[in-house]
Amino acid sequence: MDDLTSATGISGATSGVTIGAVIWYIKGRILKYEKANNKLKDELREATLDNKVQEKEIEAIKEQLREIRKHLYNGKT
């Protein structure tokens, strides 16, 4: 019996398979979280672009309001 078997009751071959399975599982979890993270990044990017469009629309409306005020108050702002 080698030291690993005597200390854990698990043979070297069995522990190698177990370690391989754990690594495979962890890699799968990492990939899953990376996919979710990338999806959230894409959603944030889209929301940021939408926000920029809305800011431009708001500025255009403000400019229209300035023009209306100028006409209402005969050129006074």
Side-chain angles (χ1 to χ4, degrees):
M1 238 190 253
D2 61 8
D3 291 336
L4 179 64
T5 305
S6 62
T8 63
I10 300 172
S11 72
T14 304
S15 67
V17 170
T18 304
I19 291 169
V22 169
I23 290 171
W24 176 81
Y25 173 78
I26 291 170
K27 282 183 179 180
R29 298 299 290 183
I30 289 170
L31 287 175
K32 179 181 176 181
Y33 289 122
E34 284 177 348
K35 280 178 136 180
N37 188 32
N38 289 337
K39 182 179 177 183
L40 288 172
K41 284 181 183 178
D42 290 341
E43 290 175 5
L44 178 61
R45 195 173 299 116
E46 287 176 25
T48 301
L49 290 174
D50 289 344
N51 188 34
K52 288 180 181 180
V53 168
Q54 289 174 351
E55 286 175 357
K56 288 180 181 180
E57 290 172 348
I58 289 169
E59 285 303 316
I61 291 170
K62 284 180 180 179
E63 185 59 36
Q64 290 173 350
L65 287 172
R66 283 186 204 103
E67 290 298 318
I68 291 170
R69 284 188 191 117
K70 282 182 186 179
H71 289 293
L72 286 176
Y73 298 113
N74 296 321
K76 297 177 185 175
T77 55

Coordinates of all heavy atoms in Angstrom, one line a residue:
M1 N 0.8 -1.2 0.0 CA 0.0 0.0 0.0 C 0.9 1.2 0.0 O 1.8 1.3 0.7 CB -0.9 0.0 1.3 CG -2.3 0.0 1.0 SD -3.3 0.3 2.5 CE -4.0 -1.3 2.7
D2 N 0.5 2.2 -0.8 CA 1.3 3.4 -0.8 C 0.8 4.4 0.3 O -0.2 4.1 0.9 CB 1.3 4.1 -2.2 CG -0.1 4.5 -2.7 OD1 -1.0 4.4 -1.9 OD2 -0.2 4.9 -3.8
D3 N 1.4 5.5 0.4 CA 1.1 6.5 1.5 C -0.3 7.0 1.3 O -1.1 7.2 2.2 CB 2.1 7.6 1.6 CG 3.4 7.1 2.1 OD1 3.5 6.1 2.8 OD2 4.4 7.8 1.8
L4 N -0.7 7.3 0.0 CA -2.0 7.9 -0.3 C -3.1 6.9 0.1 O -4.1 7.2 0.8 CB -2.2 8.2 -1.7 CG -3.5 8.8 -2.2 CD1 -3.8 10.1 -1.5 CD2 -3.6 9.0 -3.7
T5 N -2.9 5.6 -0.2 CA -3.9 4.6 0.1 C -4.0 4.4 1.6 O -5.1 4.3 2.1 CB -3.6 3.3 -0.6 OG1 -3.5 3.5 -2.0 CG2 -4.7 2.3 -0.4
S6 N -2.9 4.4 2.2 CA -3.0 4.1 3.7 C -3.5 5.3 4.4 O -4.2 5.2 5.4 CB -1.6 3.8 4.2 OG -0.7 4.8 4.0
A7 N -3.3 6.5 3.9 CA -3.8 7.7 4.6 C -5.3 8.0 4.3 O -6.0 8.5 5.2 CB -3.0 9.0 4.2
T8 N -5.7 7.7 3.1 CA -7.1 8.1 2.8 C -8.0 6.9 2.5 O -9.2 7.1 2.5 CB -7.1 9.0 1.5 OG1 -6.6 8.2 0.4 CG2 -6.3 10.2 1.7
G9 N -7.4 5.8 2.3 CA -8.2 4.6 1.9 C -8.6 4.6 0.4 O -9.4 3.9 0.0
I10 N -8.0 5.6 -0.3 CA -8.3 5.7 -1.7 C -7.0 5.4 -2.5 O -6.0 5.9 -2.2 CB -8.8 7.1 -2.1 CG1 -10.0 7.5 -1.3 CG2 -9.0 7.3 -3.6 CD1 -10.4 8.9 -1.5
S11 N -7.1 4.6 -3.5 CA -5.9 4.2 -4.3 C -5.6 5.4 -5.2 O -6.4 6.3 -5.4 CB -6.2 3.0 -5.1 OG -7.1 3.3 -6.2
G12 N -4.3 5.4 -5.7 CA -3.9 6.5 -6.5 C -4.7 6.6 -7.8 O -5.0 7.7 -8.2
A13 N -5.1 5.5 -8.4 CA -5.9 5.5 -9.6 C -7.3 6.1 -9.3 O -7.7 7.0 -10.1 CB -6.0 4.1 -10.2
T14 N -7.9 5.7 -8.2 CA -9.2 6.3 -7.9 C -9.1 7.8 -7.6 O -9.9 8.5 -8.0 CB -9.8 5.5 -6.7 OG1 -9.8 4.1 -6.9 CG2 -11.1 6.0 -6.3
S15 N -8.1 8.2 -6.9 CA -7.9 9.6 -6.5 C -7.7 10.4 -7.8 O -8.2 11.5 -7.9 CB -6.8 9.9 -5.5 OG -5.6 9.6 -6.1
G16 N -7.0 9.9 -8.8 CA -6.7 10.6 -10.0 C -8.0 10.8 -10.8 O -8.3 11.8 -11.4
V17 N -8.9 9.7 -10.8 CA -10.2 9.9 -11.5 C -11.0 10.9 -10.7 O -11.7 11.7 -11.4 CB -10.9 8.5 -11.5 CG1 -12.3 8.7 -12.0 CG2 -10.1 7.5 -12.4
T18 N -11.0 10.8 -9.4 CA -11.8 11.8 -8.6 C -11.4 13.2 -8.8 O -12.2 14.1 -9.1 CB -11.7 11.4 -7.1 OG1 -12.2 10.1 -7.0 CG2 -12.6 12.4 -6.3
I19 N -10.1 13.4 -8.8 CA -9.5 14.8 -9.1 C -9.9 15.3 -10.5 O -10.3 16.4 -10.7 CB -8.0 14.8 -8.8 CG1 -7.7 14.6 -7.3 CG2 -7.3 16.1 -9.3 CD1 -6.2 14.3 -7.0
G20 N -9.8 14.4 -11.4 CA -10.1 14.7 -12.8 C -11.6 15.1 -12.9 O -11.9 16.1 -13.6
A21 N -12.5 14.4 -12.2 CA -13.9 14.7 -12.2 C -14.2 16.1 -11.6 O -15.0 16.9 -12.1 CB -14.7 13.6 -11.5
V22 N -13.5 16.3 -10.5 CA -13.6 17.6 -9.8 C -13.2 18.8 -10.7 O -13.8 19.8 -10.8 CB -12.9 17.6 -8.5 CG1 -12.8 19.0 -7.8 CG2 -13.6 16.6 -7.5
I23 N -12.0 18.6 -11.3 CA -11.5 19.6 -12.2 C -12.5 19.8 -13.4 O -12.8 21.0 -13.8 CB -10.1 19.2 -12.8 CG1 -9.1 19.3 -11.6 CG2 -9.7 20.1 -13.9 CD1 -7.7 18.8 -11.9
W24 N -13.0 18.8 -14.0 CA -14.0 18.9 -15.1 C -15.2 19.6 -14.6 O -15.7 20.5 -15.3 CB -14.4 17.5 -15.5 CG -15.4 17.4 -16.6 CD1 -15.3 17.6 -17.9 CD2 -16.8 17.2 -16.4 NE1 -16.5 17.5 -18.5 CE2 -17.5 17.3 -17.6 CE3 -17.6 16.9 -15.2 CZ2 -18.8 17.1 -17.8 CZ3 -18.9 16.8 -15.4 CH2 -19.5 16.8 -16.6
Y25 N -15.7 19.3 -13.4 CA -16.9 20.0 -12.8 C -16.6 21.5 -12.6 O -17.4 22.3 -13.0 CB -17.3 19.3 -11.5 CG -18.4 20.1 -10.8 CD1 -19.7 19.9 -11.2 CD2 -18.1 20.9 -9.7 CE1 -20.7 20.6 -10.5 CE2 -19.1 21.6 -9.0 CZ -20.4 21.4 -9.4 OH -21.4 22.1 -8.8
I26 N -15.4 21.8 -12.1 CA -15.1 23.2 -11.8 C -15.0 24.0 -13.1 O -15.5 25.1 -13.2 CB -13.8 23.3 -11.0 CG1 -14.1 22.8 -9.6 CG2 -13.3 24.7 -10.9 CD1 -12.8 22.6 -8.7
K27 N -14.4 23.4 -14.1 CA -14.2 24.0 -15.4 C -15.6 24.3 -16.0 O -15.9 25.4 -16.6 CB -13.4 23.2 -16.4 CG -12.0 23.2 -16.2 CD -11.2 22.4 -17.2 CE -9.7 22.4 -17.1 NZ -9.1 21.6 -18.1
G28 N -16.5 23.4 -15.9 CA -17.9 23.6 -16.3 C -18.6 24.7 -15.6 O -19.3 25.5 -16.3
R29 N -18.4 24.8 -14.3 CA -19.0 25.9 -13.6 C -18.4 27.2 -14.0 O -19.1 28.2 -14.1 CB -18.8 25.7 -12.1 CG -19.5 24.4 -11.5 CD -20.9 24.4 -11.7 NE -21.5 25.4 -10.8 CZ -22.8 25.6 -10.7 NH1 -23.7 24.8 -11.4 NH2 -23.3 26.5 -9.9
I30 N -17.1 27.3 -14.2 CA -16.4 28.5 -14.6 C -17.0 29.0 -15.9 O -17.3 30.1 -16.1 CB -14.9 28.3 -14.7 CG1 -14.4 28.2 -13.2 CG2 -14.2 29.5 -15.4 CD1 -12.9 27.8 -13.2
L31 N -17.1 28.0 -16.9 CA -17.7 28.4 -18.2 C -19.1 28.9 -18.1 O -19.5 29.9 -18.8 CB -17.6 27.2 -19.1 CG -16.2 26.8 -19.6 CD1 -16.3 25.5 -20.5 CD2 -15.7 27.9 -20.5
K32 N -19.9 28.3 -17.2 CA -21.3 28.7 -17.0 C -21.3 30.1 -16.5 O -22.1 31.0 -17.0 CB -22.0 27.8 -16.0 CG -23.4 28.1 -15.7 CD -24.0 27.2 -14.7 CE -25.4 27.6 -14.3 NZ -26.0 26.7 -13.4
Y33 N -20.5 30.4 -15.5 CA -20.4 31.8 -15.0 C -19.9 32.8 -15.9 O -20.3 33.9 -16.0 CB -19.7 31.8 -13.6 CG -20.4 31.1 -12.5 CD1 -19.9 30.1 -11.8 CD2 -21.7 31.5 -12.2 CE1 -20.6 29.4 -10.8 CE2 -22.4 30.9 -11.2 CZ -21.8 29.8 -10.5 OH -22.6 29.2 -9.5
E34 N -18.9 32.4 -16.8 CA -18.4 33.3 -17.8 C -19.5 33.6 -18.8 O -19.6 34.8 -19.2 CB -17.2 32.7 -18.5 CG -15.9 32.7 -17.7 CD -14.7 32.0 -18.3 OE1 -14.9 31.3 -19.3 OE2 -13.6 32.2 -17.8
K35 N -20.3 32.6 -19.2 CA -21.4 32.9 -20.1 C -22.4 33.9 -19.5 O -22.8 34.8 -20.2 CB -22.1 31.6 -20.5 CG -21.4 30.8 -21.5 CD -22.2 29.5 -21.7 CE -22.3 29.2 -23.2 NZ -23.1 27.9 -23.4
A36 N -22.7 33.7 -18.3 CA -23.7 34.5 -17.6 C -23.1 35.9 -17.5 O -23.8 36.9 -17.7 CB -24.0 34.0 -16.2
N37 N -21.8 36.0 -17.2 CA -21.1 37.3 -17.0 C -21.1 38.1 -18.4 O -21.4 39.3 -18.5 CB -19.7 37.1 -16.5 CG -19.0 38.4 -16.2 OD1 -19.6 39.4 -15.8 ND2 -17.7 38.5 -16.4
N38 N -20.8 37.3 -19.5 CA -20.8 38.0 -20.8 C -22.2 38.4 -21.2 O -22.4 39.5 -21.8 CB -20.3 37.0 -21.8 CG -18.8 36.8 -21.7 OD1 -18.1 37.6 -21.1 ND2 -18.3 35.6 -22.2
K39 N -23.2 37.6 -20.8 CA -24.6 38.0 -21.1 C -25.0 39.3 -20.4 O -25.6 40.3 -20.9 CB -25.6 36.9 -20.7 CG -27.0 37.2 -21.0 CD -27.9 36.1 -20.7 CE -29.4 36.5 -20.9 NZ -30.3 35.4 -20.5
L40 N -24.6 39.4 -19.1 CA -24.8 40.6 -18.3 C -24.1 41.8 -18.9 O -24.6 43.0 -19.0 CB -24.4 40.4 -16.9 CG -25.4 39.5 -16.1 CD1 -24.8 39.2 -14.7 CD2 -26.7 40.1 -16.0
K41 N -22.8 41.6 -19.4 CA -22.1 42.7 -20.0 C -22.8 43.2 -21.3 O -22.8 44.4 -21.5 CB -20.7 42.2 -20.4 CG -19.7 42.1 -19.2 CD -18.3 41.6 -19.7 CE -17.4 41.4 -18.5 NZ -16.1 41.0 -19.0
D42 N -23.3 42.3 -22.1 CA -24.0 42.6 -23.3 C -25.3 43.5 -22.9 O -25.6 44.5 -23.6 CB -24.4 41.4 -24.1 CG -23.2 40.7 -24.7 OD1 -22.2 41.4 -24.9 OD2 -23.4 39.6 -25.1
E43 N -26.0 43.0 -21.9 CA -27.2 43.7 -21.5 C -26.8 45.1 -21.0 O -27.6 46.1 -21.3 CB -28.0 43.0 -20.4 CG -28.6 41.7 -20.9 CD -29.2 40.9 -19.8 OE1 -29.3 41.3 -18.6 OE2 -29.7 39.8 -20.1
L44 N -25.8 45.2 -20.2 CA -25.3 46.5 -19.7 C -24.9 47.4 -20.9 O -25.3 48.6 -20.9 CB -24.1 46.4 -18.8 CG -23.5 47.7 -18.2 CD1 -24.6 48.4 -17.4 CD2 -22.3 47.3 -17.3
R45 N -24.2 46.9 -21.9 CA -23.8 47.7 -23.1 C -25.1 48.2 -23.8 O -25.1 49.4 -24.2 CB -23.0 46.8 -24.0 CG -22.2 47.5 -25.0 CD -21.3 46.6 -25.8 NE -20.3 46.0 -25.0 CZ -20.2 44.7 -24.7 NH1 -21.0 43.8 -25.3 NH2 -19.2 44.2 -24.0
E46 N -26.1 47.3 -24.0 CA -27.3 47.8 -24.6 C -28.0 48.8 -23.8 O -28.5 49.8 -24.4 CB -28.2 46.6 -24.8 CG -27.8 45.6 -25.9 CD -28.7 44.4 -26.0 OE1 -29.9 44.5 -25.6 OE2 -28.2 43.4 -26.5
A47 N -28.1 48.7 -22.5 CA -28.7 49.7 -21.7 C -28.0 51.0 -21.7 O -28.6 52.1 -21.7 CB -28.8 49.1 -20.2
T48 N -26.7 50.9 -21.8 CA -25.9 52.2 -21.8 C -26.2 52.9 -23.2 O -26.3 54.1 -23.2 CB -24.4 51.8 -21.7 OG1 -24.2 51.2 -20.5 CG2 -23.5 53.1 -21.8
L49 N -26.2 52.1 -24.3 CA -26.5 52.7 -25.6 C -27.9 53.3 -25.5 O -28.2 54.4 -26.1 CB -26.4 51.7 -26.7 CG -25.0 51.2 -27.0 CD1 -25.0 50.1 -28.0 CD2 -24.1 52.4 -27.5
D50 N -28.9 52.6 -25.0 CA -30.3 53.1 -24.9 C -30.3 54.4 -24.1 O -31.0 55.4 -24.4 CB -31.2 52.1 -24.2 CG -31.5 50.9 -25.2 OD1 -31.2 51.0 -26.4 OD2 -32.0 49.9 -24.6
N51 N -29.5 54.4 -23.0 CA -29.5 55.6 -22.1 C -28.9 56.8 -22.9 O -29.4 57.9 -22.8 CB -28.6 55.3 -20.9 CG -28.7 56.4 -19.9 OD1 -29.7 57.1 -19.7 ND2 -27.6 56.6 -19.2
K52 N -27.9 56.6 -23.7 CA -27.3 57.6 -24.5 C -28.3 58.2 -25.5 O -28.4 59.4 -25.7 CB -26.0 57.2 -25.2 CG -24.9 57.0 -24.3 CD -23.6 56.5 -25.0 CE -22.5 56.3 -24.0 NZ -21.2 55.8 -24.6
V53 N -29.1 57.3 -26.1 CA -30.1 57.7 -27.1 C -31.1 58.6 -26.3 O -31.5 59.6 -26.8 CB -30.7 56.5 -27.8 CG1 -32.0 56.9 -28.5 CG2 -29.7 55.8 -28.7
Q54 N -31.6 58.1 -25.2 CA -32.5 58.9 -24.4 C -32.0 60.2 -24.0 O -32.7 61.2 -24.0 CB -33.0 58.1 -23.2 CG -33.8 56.9 -23.5 CD -34.1 56.0 -22.3 OE1 -33.6 56.2 -21.3 NE2 -35.0 55.0 -22.5
E55 N -30.7 60.3 -23.6 CA -30.1 61.6 -23.3 C -30.1 62.5 -24.4 O -30.4 63.7 -24.3 CB -28.7 61.4 -22.8 CG -28.6 60.8 -21.4 CD -27.2 60.5 -20.9 OE1 -26.2 60.7 -21.7 OE2 -27.0 60.0 -19.8
K56 N -29.9 62.1 -25.6 CA -29.9 62.9 -26.8 C -31.3 63.4 -27.1 O -31.5 64.5 -27.5 CB -29.3 62.1 -28.0 CG -27.8 62.0 -28.0 CD -27.3 61.2 -29.2 CE -25.8 61.0 -29.1 NZ -25.2 60.3 -30.2
E57 N -32.3 62.5 -26.9 CA -33.7 62.9 -27.1 C -34.1 63.9 -26.1 O -34.8 64.9 -26.5 CB -34.6 61.6 -27.0 CG -34.4 60.7 -28.2 CD -35.2 59.4 -28.0 OE1 -35.7 59.1 -26.9 OE2 -35.3 58.6 -29.0
I58 N -33.7 63.8 -24.9 CA -34.0 64.8 -23.9 C -33.4 66.1 -24.2 O -34.0 67.2 -24.1 CB -33.5 64.3 -22.5 CG1 -34.4 63.1 -22.0 CG2 -33.5 65.4 -21.5 CD1 -33.9 62.4 -20.8
E59 N -32.1 66.1 -24.7 CA -31.5 67.4 -25.1 C -32.2 68.0 -26.2 O -32.4 69.2 -26.3 CB -30.0 67.1 -25.4 CG -29.1 66.9 -24.2 CD -29.2 68.1 -23.2 OE1 -29.1 69.2 -23.7 OE2 -29.3 67.8 -22.0
A60 N -32.7 67.2 -27.2 CA -33.5 67.8 -28.3 C -34.8 68.4 -27.8 O -35.2 69.5 -28.3 CB -33.8 66.7 -29.3
I61 N -35.4 67.8 -26.9 CA -36.7 68.3 -26.3 C -36.4 69.6 -25.5 O -37.1 70.6 -25.6 CB -37.4 67.3 -25.4 CG1 -37.9 66.1 -26.3 CG2 -38.5 67.9 -24.6 CD1 -38.3 64.9 -25.5
K62 N -35.3 69.6 -24.8 CA -34.9 70.8 -24.1 C -34.7 72.0 -25.0 O -35.1 73.1 -24.8 CB -33.7 70.6 -23.2 CG -33.9 69.8 -22.0 CD -32.6 69.6 -21.2 CE -32.8 68.9 -19.9 NZ -31.5 68.7 -19.2
E63 N -34.0 71.7 -26.1 CA -33.8 72.7 -27.1 C -35.1 73.2 -27.7 O -35.3 74.4 -27.9 CB -32.8 72.2 -28.2 CG -32.4 73.2 -29.2 CD -31.7 74.4 -28.6 OE1 -30.9 74.2 -27.7 OE2 -31.9 75.5 -29.1
Q64 N -36.0 72.4 -28.0 CA -37.3 72.8 -28.5 C -38.0 73.6 -27.5 O -38.6 74.7 -27.8 CB -38.2 71.5 -28.8 CG -37.7 70.8 -30.0 CD -38.5 69.5 -30.2 OE1 -39.2 69.0 -29.3 NE2 -38.3 68.8 -31.3
L65 N -37.9 73.3 -26.2 CA -38.5 74.1 -25.1 C -37.9 75.5 -25.1 O -38.6 76.5 -24.9 CB -38.4 73.4 -23.8 CG -39.3 72.2 -23.6 CD1 -39.0 71.5 -22.3 CD2 -40.8 72.7 -23.6
R66 N -36.6 75.6 -25.3 CA -35.9 76.9 -25.3 C -36.4 77.7 -26.4 O -36.7 78.9 -26.3 CB -34.4 76.7 -25.4 CG -33.7 76.2 -24.2 CD -32.2 76.2 -24.4 NE -31.6 75.3 -23.4 CZ -31.1 74.1 -23.7 NH1 -31.2 73.6 -24.9 NH2 -30.7 73.3 -22.7
E67 N -36.6 77.1 -27.6 CA -37.1 77.8 -28.8 C -38.5 78.3 -28.5 O -38.9 79.5 -28.8 CB -37.1 77.0 -30.0 CG -35.7 76.7 -30.5 CD -34.9 77.9 -30.9 OE1 -35.5 78.8 -31.6 OE2 -33.7 78.0 -30.6
I68 N -39.4 77.5 -27.9 CA -40.7 77.9 -27.6 C -40.7 79.1 -26.6 O -41.5 80.0 -26.7 CB -41.5 76.7 -27.0 CG1 -41.7 75.6 -28.1 CG2 -42.8 77.1 -26.4 CD1 -42.3 74.3 -27.6
R69 N -39.9 79.0 -25.6 CA -39.8 80.1 -24.6 C -39.3 81.4 -25.3 O -39.9 82.4 -24.9 CB -38.8 79.7 -23.5 CG -39.3 78.7 -22.5 CD -38.4 78.6 -21.3 NE -38.8 77.4 -20.5 CZ -38.0 76.4 -20.3 NH1 -36.8 76.3 -20.8 NH2 -38.5 75.4 -19.5
K70 N -38.4 81.3 -26.2 CA -37.9 82.5 -26.9 C -39.1 83.1 -27.6 O -39.3 84.3 -27.6 CB -36.8 82.1 -27.9 CG -35.5 81.9 -27.3 CD -34.5 81.6 -28.4 CE -33.1 81.2 -27.8 NZ -32.2 80.9 -28.9
H71 N -39.9 82.3 -28.3 CA -41.1 82.9 -29.0 C -42.1 83.4 -28.0 O -42.7 84.4 -28.3 CB -41.7 81.8 -29.9 CG -40.8 81.5 -31.1 ND1 -40.6 82.3 -32.1 CD2 -40.1 80.3 -31.4 CE1 -39.8 81.8 -33.0 NE2 -39.5 80.5 -32.6
L72 N -42.3 82.7 -26.9 CA -43.3 83.2 -26.0 C -42.9 84.5 -25.3 O -43.7 85.4 -25.0 CB -43.6 82.1 -24.9 CG -44.4 80.9 -25.3 CD1 -44.4 79.9 -24.2 CD2 -45.8 81.3 -25.8
Y73 N -41.6 84.6 -25.0 CA -41.2 85.8 -24.3 C -40.5 86.8 -25.2 O -39.7 87.6 -24.7 CB -40.2 85.4 -23.1 CG -40.9 84.5 -22.1 CD1 -40.6 83.2 -21.9 CD2 -41.9 85.0 -21.3 CE1 -41.2 82.4 -21.0 CE2 -42.6 84.2 -20.4 CZ -42.2 82.9 -20.2 OH -42.9 82.1 -19.3
N74 N -40.8 86.7 -26.5 CA -40.2 87.7 -27.4 C -38.7 87.7 -27.4 O -38.1 88.8 -27.3 CB -40.8 89.1 -27.2 CG -42.3 89.1 -27.5 OD1 -42.8 88.4 -28.4 ND2 -43.0 89.8 -26.7
G75 N -38.1 86.6 -27.4 CA -36.6 86.6 -27.5 C -35.9 86.6 -26.2 O -34.7 86.5 -26.1
K76 N -36.6 86.7 -25.1 CA -36.0 86.7 -23.8 C -35.9 85.3 -23.3 O -36.8 84.5 -23.4 CB -36.8 87.5 -22.8 CG -36.9 89.0 -23.1 CD -37.7 89.7 -22.1 CE -37.9 91.2 -22.6 NZ -38.8 91.8 -21.7
T77 N -34.8 84.9 -22.6 CA -34.6 83.6 -22.1 C -34.6 83.6 -20.6 O -34.5 84.6 -20.0 CB -33.3 82.9 -22.6 OG1 -32.2 83.7 -22.3 CG2 -33.3 82.6 -24.1

